[in-house]
Amino acid sequence: MPRLEIDLKKLYDNTRTLVDRMASKGATVTGVTKVVLGNPEVAQAMLQAGVGSIGDSRIENIQKMREAGVAAKFILLRTPLMSQLEQVVLHADVSFNTELSVIEHLNQVASKKNKIHQIVLMIELGDLREGILPRYLESTVRHILQFPAIQLVGLGANLACFGGVKPNHEKMTLLSDLAKSISQKFNLKLDIVSGGNSANLQWFSECGDVGAINNLRLGESIFLGVDPLDRQPIEGLHRDALTLVAEVIESKIKPSVPFGEQCQTAFGVRPVFEDRGHGRRAILGIGRQDVDISGLTPLTEGLDILGGSSDHLIINCQQHPLFVGEEVRFQLDYSALLTAMTSPHITKAMLWPAKSIERPLETQVGHPIVPLNGVQGALS
Ligand SMILES: *Cc1c(COP(=O)(O)O)cnc(C)c1O
């Protein structure tokens, strides 16, 4: 079975490095677990590395981590579904919100349960994903303050997701100024002013003064060690904390151009081929049903991905012959990681460091976890 190897020690290192960098300017990290579907072991490694809270966009993931015994402050990063308000009040300590109608209902649910639910208001700074436009912030806050079971604990923003808008000095200053102005106007203590996601790291490292911003929510940078603005490596971080391993099921010398009458492929295109003569090609037992194959990079030199179908990945291995039964490793981009993690056909294999972090609770929730004894030793 193909497997995704998750090296908890490397995730711990990456988190630790980012937590320290952020702490140097007085800011905390929320470790974002959605790309690993709220995996409790990963959350535990992040917490041991010093994140102040765990954020996930799905309440099911938060519930799973709680039930697995992860002790953390949990933040729901996506505005709650109206149909899930009970779970949100029950399992999330804080939720990000953008809709008064949702907040009003959260207030009712929390009141019934005799709880105070904390919220962060997301501000639309131009990326056009979620958020309240700045000109409506004041009236929205005034409204929220009338809800007895709701406590407004912060403001947040999210950039570089839908619209590809860069979190720069101007955007962060605006968020910071909005936070200062509403906390003054309404005499509020805002514990969380969350500037954004991994795409904010460049701004963070270059800015002299973070203003009122005291938190970033980091996922991709921790998992992949790259900056989402340009996908360049971030200095000091591991880029291979997660790797995909697949197995060769066929290896043969074949022509480089298909022969026969040409029609559409299984995916509706008419491919064009360059004639490079005959060469060695391999097929791996993994495909588009498992992973976004465009996001895979072979970790072995001399391998070239030619394409794939639902369950076959075709590789030109003329420069580095592959043989049946052999394993091939790949680096993943965000999309490949998201899909591989979600595929039931890919085993998730946790690599346990022997000493540096304690092995957390046995938490067999969601995916089979296969400890790899051989590799364990190598990490100690
Ligand atoms: C996914 C998500 C993040 C984390 O983004 P990365 O680019 O993976 O760091 C942060 N905030 C929100 C609201 C998100 O949905």
Side-chain angles (χ1 to χ4, degrees), residues 248-261:
V248 179
I249 57 172
E250 180 187 298
S251 172
K252 295 187 190 306
I253 309 278
K254 290 192 185 180
S256 49
V257 180
F259 43 94
E261 198 181 330

Side-chain angles (χ1 to χ4, degrees), residues 22 25 89 96 157 168 291 303 315 333 370-371:
M22 299 274 302
K25 291 183 185 172
V89 167
F96 281 11
N168 59 12
V291 61
L303 300 182
I315 290 190
D333 74 3
V370 183

Side-chain angles (χ1 to χ4, degrees), residues 38-40 44 59-72 74 87 90-91 361-366:
N39 183 287
Q44 206 72 271
I59 195 66
E60 312 86 88
N61 291 345
I62 290 179
Q63 183 172 356
K64 175 165 90 179
M65 290 184 273
R66 268 214 201 283
E67 284 169 359
V70 179
F74 285 106
Q87 292 100 298
L90 211 57
H91 302 295
L361 309 169
E362 200 60 66
T363 40
Q364 287 271 2
V365 199

